[in-house]
Amino acid sequence: MLVFFRKRYFVSEYTPIDGNIAFSVNASDRGEASCCDPLGAAFEGCLRRLFAQWGSFCVRHPGCVVFLSLAFIAACSSGLAFVRVTTDPVDLWSAPGSQARREKEYFDAHFGPFFRTEQLIIQAPHSHPHTYEPYPSGSDVPFGPPLAVDILHQVLDLQTAIENITASYNNETVTLQDICVAPLSPYNKNCTILSVLNYFQNSHSVLNHEVGDDFFVYADYHTHFLYCVRAPASLNDTSLLHDPCLGTFGGPVFPWLVLGGYDDQNYNNATALVITFPVNNYYNDTEKLQRAQAWETAFINFVKNYKNPNLTISFKAERSIEDELNRESNGDVVTILISYAVMFLYISIALGHIKSWRRLLVDSKISLGVAGVLMVLSSVACSLGIFSYAGVPLTLIVIEVIPFLVLAVGVDNIFILVQTYQRDERLQGETLDQQLGRVLGEVAPSMFLSSFSETVAFFLGGLSTMPAVHTFSLFAGMAVFIDFLLQMTCFVSLLGLDIKRQEKNRLDVLCCVGGPADGGSIQASESCLFRFFRDSYSPLLLKDWMRPIVIAVFVGVLSFSIAVLNKVEIGLDQSLSMPDDSYVMDYFQSLSQYLHAGPPVYFVLEEGHDYTSLRGQNMVCGGTGCDNDSLVQQIFTAAQLDNYTRIGFAPSSWIDDYFDWIKPQSSCCRVYNSTDQFCNASVVDPACVRCRPLTPEGKQRPQGRDFMRFLPMFLSDNPNPKCGKGGHAAYSTAVNLLGNGTGVGATYFMTYHTVLQTSADFIDAMKKARLIAGNITRTMGLEGSGHRVFPYSVFYVFYEQYLTVVDDTVFNLGVSLGAIFLVTVVLLGFELWSAVIVCVTIAMILVSMFGVMWLWGISLNAVSLVNLVMSCGISVEFCSHITRAFTVSTKGSRVERAEAALSHMGSSVFSGITLTKFGGIVVLAFAKSQIFQIFYFRMYLAMVLLGATHGLIFLPVLLSYIGPSVNRAKSLATQERYKGTEREQLLNF
């Protein structure tokens, strides 16, 4: 009969032959036998036998298995001794080979790293606007509240107090003078302070300087202020005061950098003062960098404790954001621990199946649950240790996310194994190791399918160029894989020991203590949740009238999510990274409200350009005779279209100022006629003569050797009352001189972006600057020349990721889905259509995640991309177990097979993932960190709810419509295994 059955199986559709082994097939589930069916059945049988034999071995030799598992954990975890944690945002968000990273390294190497900034934004809430009435004539001029003279004196006192702040580092005193940017040092050691008070030489006496008689004031600080905002580089205003405007540090103070809240260019209407202290950034000198950070700490403490009822101060130091992030992380440690504790407690309690209160401590599985959770944590520790051995640095995202991930994707395996055993009946003459081996053979292929799919998907996600995603994927893939290994070895052995303890009627945890006298043997039982899924939920969900409703609802959700897919914002609002009670939040608010200039941007012309020829000069300069599409002219034109280009101001051009400086009509460029050495304009000496004669030829621009002869003099000349064009303060770092001043290397032309508030503003500013630089490179004919023009600003390295984040998202999720498809095809026994259904469902979950992100205001960035990759892995858990149960079911119609699959796997998936994660996620809602609230609580909640609804509602209904036909070879193998046994009804899905 069996031979006849097999022959019939291969030649035509199966028809019942013997009542004992026949099964009915609904017309909708008929189909010819596929050539892959025998192969799939053979592979399925091989996996089943392999895991059954392995499970029996683990139960028979628990001591050896547990010891080897602990040794493996210890060996891997010992790598934590070499752990390195990456906190540098540059290394975290920017790939080493990215364009912004390469340009940053070029800029740092040629011009030095961008300075650190300490900044205050000051308002005078109790002061009122006043009007200045010039004498003897002139229109009245309104002045904003912070420009009252008494307020300016108070602000000057504050500024002076900050200059005098001292900090201690390694028993040494650190002052601002030790770390500040002093461009004229050592001739002039005054620190660069960008403040309106530098118009008054940071002096109370100059601020009080006025000219008048007993009746009228002809000129005072109002007069000087109005002059200086128009000519900030002047060394002698034209009023009766004749005070200089140039800052004490030797450079000009542009009004748009030190005043805020004015309209148009009416700087006198300012409602806020901005004071900036640039500090040297000792990028490659840890000792000096820590000295600067020590002073910044003292600065923060001083301003926090500064009391002046007339001033409202918003401020930040360079280290403020990193400090607040660390404080935020430390503040949420308790929240994270509580979240873990809730999940651990649930797992420990939910694993047990309590039949009566008398047997509470016998039937509970607290010790087994704790062991399962410890394996999860051990797998994370092993992953960290292995990659620490390999020198891969750890990131905070890995620490915060991976334990949640491994708990989500690992704990359900524990639930499936334990709960399947609890529902199982030991066969007559079967030993415990044989029973557990058989149970493991039933469920382990499904566990292997989900875990291996996730592992491969995560490891392939490591191909991402985004460092945060790359590191996360590697650590996550290894952690999931090790967790599966520990579950298949150590946990199986511990489960066997726990069953023996329960059979001997001993208490959980206190295994040496006996339990109630009426213990008895362990009986197969079904949990309330299992019975609910089998008797109520599954039949209701798969009723004929319910299934179309389910499909319609989920297709509607999918359609909505597709419609808003391109509306999800890209970026990360920097204020979200701060705690709600952070002083930096006030600074961000003031920044967007009062500032009129954004970050500085440098247009860098790489080494290789010829500045000594007339053609080379015309391609760069912006004055008379220069090309209309020269470098400087194009940036100037871009500044005229600031709303579009995000370039706010005309560039500072060293080459144009050099040409003005060297003109024979000016008194700037002079040399000693005997030594040919530079003679400063302030020197009174008959031996000093003009560099170039007052002849038509001398008035021409210098070229060739003349250009290089006088350029070093220009770059070393300090501004003075006789010549304010000296380039030492403004351009000493802007020009690289080669070969002892015989050639010009890389140079930059600096300007400022417009005010940038949102991530979209920063991203757009970078894109536009690169477009401008690319156009300059083309019009200068530099393409293919080996050097080019590129823009650099300090924020580019952080925001460049958003230029490619969409491509990175598509790549990572596509690779993950592809990996899941291939692994699912193989491990489901070459069930191609089943793999397609699994991947379609996971894709629907991912698309729906974007719909939730749009609804909940979650932007797309590296953090949310990590979560999306994680949700792809978690979705496998929700889908693969149900799908595999469907494929091995021998029920007749698709509806019956879907109902059976949902009945047997639904409760384990629901209790193992959904409920496990839900308790821990709810706790995250109380985190102080906005990042935790938005990117962890909201996204975790969404991925669990979407995964649960798609896996436990949509997928069974989809399978009931278009699920794969019965694999007849598998069905035959199943019938042969369980034919004639009382377990047929239980395990014959």
Side-chain angles (χ1 to χ4, degrees), residues 44 48 412 416 442-443 445-447 449-450 453 820-821 823-842 845 874-890 894 896-906 909 947 950-960 962-967 970 989:
E44 174 79 21
R48 193 185 299 269
D412 73 313
I416 289 171
E442 294 291 340
V443 299
S446 179
M447 297 158 61
L449 165 62
S450 60
S453 298
I820 291 168
F821 174 77
V823 174
T824 304
V825 167
V826 174
L827 296 185
L828 279 181
F830 305 95
E831 294 272 5
L832 182 64
W833 186 240
S834 299
V836 170
I837 290 176
V838 168
C839 289
V840 166
T841 307
I842 295 173
I845 295 172
I874 290 178
S875 299
V876 175
E877 298 289 327
F878 283 109
C879 300
S880 61
H881 298 300
I882 302 291
T883 304
R884 182 182 176 277
F886 181 88
T887 62
V888 301
S889 173
T890 58
R894 288 189 176 94
E896 291 172 337
R897 292 163 64 204
E899 185 176 330
L902 184 59
S903 298
H904 284 83
M905 282 297 179
V909 171
H950 281 78
L952 299 176
I953 300 176
F954 173 76
L955 180 59
V957 173
L958 183 65
L959 289 170
S960 72
I962 60 171
S965 300
V966 174
N967 184 323
K970 286 184 183 180
F989 299 167

Side-chain angles (χ1 to χ4, degrees), residues 376-395:
V376 169
L377 298 181
S378 297
S379 66
V380 175
C382 289
S383 177
L384 302 185
I386 290 171
F387 285 109
S388 295
Y389 274 130
V392 179
L394 187 63
T395 66

Side-chain angles (χ1 to χ4, degrees), residues 157-350:
D157 287 337
L158 169 61
Q159 179 178 306
T160 305
I162 291 174
E163 289 184 77
N164 294 328
I165 290 174
T166 59
S168 178
Y169 177 74
N170 280 351
N171 297 321
E172 295 180 5
T173 300
V174 183
T175 65
L176 179 62
Q177 186 68 54
D178 298 325
I179 59 174
C180 71
V181 175
L184 298 185
S185 181
Y187 313 105
N188 177 350
K189 294 185 178 181
N190 287 326
C191 293
T192 300
I193 302 176
L194 301 179
S195 165
V196 70
L197 294 161
N198 239 320
Y199 290 151
F200 307 97
Q201 309 303 292
N202 299 321
S203 166
H204 287 287
S205 60
V206 175
L207 187 58
N208 286 329
H209 187 199
E210 59 183 39
V211 175
D213 52 28
D214 293 339
F215 302 100
F216 300 102
V217 174
Y218 304 132
D220 62 1
Y221 85 96
H222 295 97
T223 315
H224 187 63
F225 173 86
L226 292 173
Y227 181 85
C228 290
V229 295
R230 305 300 176 190
S234 172
L235 288 164
N236 185 356
D237 79 12
T238 56
S239 72
L240 298 175
L241 297 175
H242 298 292
D243 289 329
C245 297
L246 199 69
T248 58
F249 59 91
V253 178
F254 297 111
W256 57 83
L257 298 179
V258 297
L259 298 166
Y262 54 82
D263 55 273
D264 197 21
Q265 292 187 1
N266 299 314
Y267 304 114
N268 45 282
N269 286 331
T271 56
L273 305 179
V274 183
I275 303 179
T276 306
F277 298 87
V279 170
N280 285 311
N281 196 351
Y282 305 99
Y283 190 69
N284 296 317
D285 191 328
T286 304
E287 184 76 13
K288 290 183 177 179
L289 179 61
Q290 289 176 345
R291 285 166 57 86
Q293 290 175 332
W295 187 88
E296 289 174 351
T297 300
F299 164 79
I300 292 170
N301 292 333
F302 173 83
V303 181
K304 274 185 176 180
N305 297 316
Y306 184 80
K307 304 296 181 185
N308 185 332
N310 297 319
L311 303 178
T312 299
I313 304 171
S314 303
F315 74 99
K316 98 166 176 66
E318 186 71 23
R319 67 175 298 161
S320 292
I321 292 179
E322 187 172 348
D323 285 350
E324 292 298 284
L325 284 173
N326 291 335
R327 181 174 74 87
E328 180 181 57
S329 297
N330 294 334
D332 284 326
V333 166
V334 175
T335 305
I336 295 172
L337 292 177
I338 293 174
S339 176
Y340 288 163
V342 169
M343 291 187 286
F344 295 169
L345 182 63
Y346 166 76
I347 293 165
S348 301
I349 295 175

Side-chain angles (χ1 to χ4, degrees), residues 332-348 369 373-374 376-377 380 396-408 411 870 915-924 932 936 940:
D332 284 326
V333 166
V334 175
T335 305
I336 295 172
L337 292 177
I338 293 174
S339 176
Y340 288 163
V342 169
M343 291 187 286
F344 295 169
L345 182 63
Y346 166 76
I347 293 165
S348 301
V373 170
L374 289 177
V376 169
L377 298 181
V380 175
L396 293 177
I397 287 183
V398 169
I399 298 171
E400 292 166 347
V401 174
I402 287 186
F404 279 98
L405 168 68
V406 182
L407 272 174
V411 170
M870 188 173 85
L915 295 182
T916 303
K917 288 288 289 176
F918 193 76
I921 290 170
V922 169
V923 176
L924 292 179
F932 266 88
Y936 292 144
Y940 284 9

